[in-house]
Amino acid sequence: MKWQKKKSQKKEKKRRFFKRKTDQESVNLLEPEQALDNQQPASDSPEDTQEVKQSEHQEIVPVKMEKKRIFKRLKERLTKSRKTMGVWGKKRLDDELLEMVEESLITADIGVETTMTIMEALNDQVRKKIITSTEQLQSTVLHELMQRLPKSEFSEDDFIYNPHVILVVGINGVGKTTTIGKLASRLTSQGKKVIIGAADTFRAAAVEQLELWAERASADIVRHKENADPAAVAFDTVQAAISRKADVAIIDTAGRLHTKKNLMEEIKKIRRSIAKKLPDAPHDTFLILDATTGQNAVSQAQLFHQALNVTGIILTKLDGTARGGIVVSIANTLDIPIRYIGIGETTHDLQNFDSELFVRALIEPE
């Protein structure tokens, strides 16, 4: 009878399951050396091999899906910049198309010098018949841009100090306060304890914003009264981070561009104050730049880097500009890695910078 056969199969399956479980438990009870001696080679156990492969597959698939999701969102947010680069509708490979490519690279703010170097390589390969189609031309442009961007290997696992102190700098209006809030949210969602220092004491609005973000991110905040000494706030933030055993301390700073010298001296004072409490800190100095300002962002980066030795750049408002090529220009001009990019208003729109995904999103058509 069919039902008897099915019942028998279920019993056999159940028996095998409990046998494997019992065998595994007995192995676990052995001494480590005995357990190793009793383990069977992977080749002798097809079922175990299948389970391992399935486990590996389950780990790989979510990573691929997450990367695909990030790329899709990145592509949506870089629509304005991609339209600037959208010269691939023309099927004929000729001088006119090459001129269009050159114009698109300059318009996207990749930089004149970088553009000229790329165009020399393209013209040379077209002349030698290495490039014979628009598809090959597009692929070569993508490759040339990738060559000018550092490989992205940064993650929050690189925050190895306890606490890891991050000093955040940048002029007013670049989205500094909001970015700090998003970064705090990102870190707390990973299980890290975060404390924020509101050292931009000259703007009451900045402190109030940080308080809201801290509450939203479930992070602690250290603040003083308005117009208090920013260096004192920074010192107290690091002290609080040590005593509360925080994983990361993020310290905001003022950004008054019209008094460049005073601004830089103030931030240097903050750095000295932090180092008094915790030698070698700050461990990172992140510079926030507004992508919509184009080449002006490069000038800002040079100014801050000379004074403060910037360790990473966070580029904001990429969703609101047609000049997304500024990423390539900054990376090619300055020896400063891009850590994060901001592509929208939500917390999830602050993303780790992935050079390959970024260039593909910038170049590849719909």
Side-chain angles (χ1 to χ4, degrees):
M1 300 289 288
K2 287 185 178 178
W3 67 271
Q4 288 177 326
K5 188 176 180 181
K6 286 183 178 178
K7 189 174 181 181
S8 175
Q9 287 173 342
K10 284 183 179 178
K11 280 184 178 180
E12 178 62 21
K13 187 175 181 181
K14 192 173 182 182
R15 186 187 69 78
R16 287 201 307 270
F17 171 78
F18 281 106
K19 185 175 184 305
R20 286 200 307 272
K21 189 174 180 183
T22 305
D23 290 345
Q24 184 60 44
E25 287 174 350
S26 63
V27 169
N28 291 339
L29 290 170
L30 296 173
E31 293 298 321
E33 293 82 358
Q34 290 175 297
L36 287 170
D37 291 339
N38 280 277
Q39 284 178 353
Q40 295 295 321
S43 58
D44 293 338
S45 179
E47 289 181 0
D48 290 344
T49 304
Q50 188 175 357
E51 286 176 7
V52 170
K53 285 182 179 178
Q54 186 176 358
S55 175
E56 288 176 351
H57 178 70
Q58 286 172 345
E59 288 177 5
I60 292 168
V61 169
V63 172
K64 286 184 177 178
M65 288 176 64
E66 177 65 11
K67 205 161 186 177
K68 190 175 181 180
R69 184 191 67 79
I70 291 172
F71 176 65
K72 184 181 178 183
R73 188 158 184 76
L74 188 58
K75 201 167 182 179
E76 287 172 357
R77 298 297 188 171
L78 290 177
T79 299
K80 290 182 179 179
S81 293
R82 193 170 55 260
K83 282 181 179 177
T84 305
M85 303 289 293
V87 298
W88 311 112
K90 183 177 170 61
K91 296 298 180 185
R92 187 178 174 185
L93 181 59
D94 54 19
D95 291 340
E96 184 183 354
L97 177 58
L98 288 169
E99 286 178 10
M100 290 170 66
V101 170
E102 181 179 341
E103 185 181 347
S104 70
L105 291 172
I106 292 173
T107 306
D109 240 332
I110 284 171
V112 175
E113 189 176 336
T114 305
T115 298
M116 292 302 103
T117 305
I118 292 173
M119 291 310 302
E120 280 179 20
L122 294 179
N123 282 305
D124 184 56
Q125 291 185 53
V126 169
R127 189 167 55 253
K128 292 177 180 177
K129 304 294 184 184
I130 297 171
I131 297 175
T132 58
S133 67
T134 54
E135 290 79 11
Q136 288 177 329
L137 182 65
Q138 180 185 341
S139 177
T140 306
V141 171
L142 194 147
H143 173 74
E144 288 290 333
L145 292 176
M146 281 292 299
Q147 291 290 100
R148 286 157 178 79
L149 285 172
K151 292 223 172 176
S152 311
E153 297 176 353
F154 169 78
S155 76
E156 286 79 14
D157 293 335
D158 294 332
F159 296 159
I160 58 175
Y161 299 93
N162 264 320
H164 191 96
V165 181
I166 302 171
L167 186 66
V168 180
V169 300
I171 68 169
N172 288 335
V174 295
K176 187 153 47 73
T177 307
T178 304
T179 300
I180 290 171
K182 290 178 182 178
L183 180 57
S185 293
R186 183 184 178 93
L187 293 168
T188 54
S189 69
Q190 296 171 8
K192 290 180 170 63
K193 186 172 183 178
V194 178
I195 189 163
I196 300 172
D200 184 359
T201 57
F202 301 101
R203 286 198 312 130
V207 178
E208 289 169 6
Q209 269 187 290
L210 276 181
E211 282 186 313
L212 290 173
W213 272 108
E215 184 179 351
R216 192 183 304 176
S218 301
D220 292 342
I221 187 167
V222 172
R223 60 164 297 179
H224 288 190
K225 62 183 180 180
E226 192 174 346
N227 293 323
D229 182 7
V233 177
F235 183 90
D236 288 351
T237 302
V238 176
Q239 189 171 47
I242 294 169
S243 62
R244 299 176 199 178
K245 296 183 179 178
D247 297 297
V248 182
I250 308 172
I251 300 172
D252 188 18
T253 59
R256 296 157 295 154
L257 186 63
H258 62 283
T259 54
K260 291 178 186 177
K261 186 176 179 182
N262 292 340
L263 169 64
M264 294 307 174
E265 290 305 316
E266 185 68 59
I267 297 175
K268 285 177 183 178
K269 183 182 174 184
I270 290 172
R271 288 173 63 92
R272 290 193 297 271
S273 180
I274 292 169
K276 282 180 185 177
K277 187 62 189 176
L278 193 64
D280 299 328
H283 305 107
D284 272 306
T285 300
F286 286 168
L287 170 62
I288 314 292
L289 295 173
D290 181 348
T292 62
T293 60
Q295 289 297 315
N296 190 35
V298 179
S299 302
Q300 288 176 35
Q302 289 172 327
L303 178 69
F304 277 94
H305 189 44
Q306 286 168 8
L308 305 170
N309 191 27
V310 174
T311 61
I313 287 173
I314 303 178
L315 204 59
T316 64
K317 307 181 187 180
L318 274 165
D319 57 317
T321 182
R323 299 186 283 184
I326 191 61
V327 172
V328 181
S329 184
I330 288 171
N332 204 41
T333 306
L334 305 164
D335 189 23
I336 309 172
I338 297 169
R339 300 303 193 193
Y340 298 95
I341 54 173
I343 56 171
E345 297 299 322
T346 70
T347 303
H348 298 295
D349 288 326
L350 180 69
Q351 297 183 356
N352 284 105
F353 178 65
D354 185 314
S355 55
E356 181 184 354
L357 292 187
F358 181 84
V359 174
R360 283 180 53 207
L362 194 65
I363 294 292
E364 289 182 6
E366 299 295 340

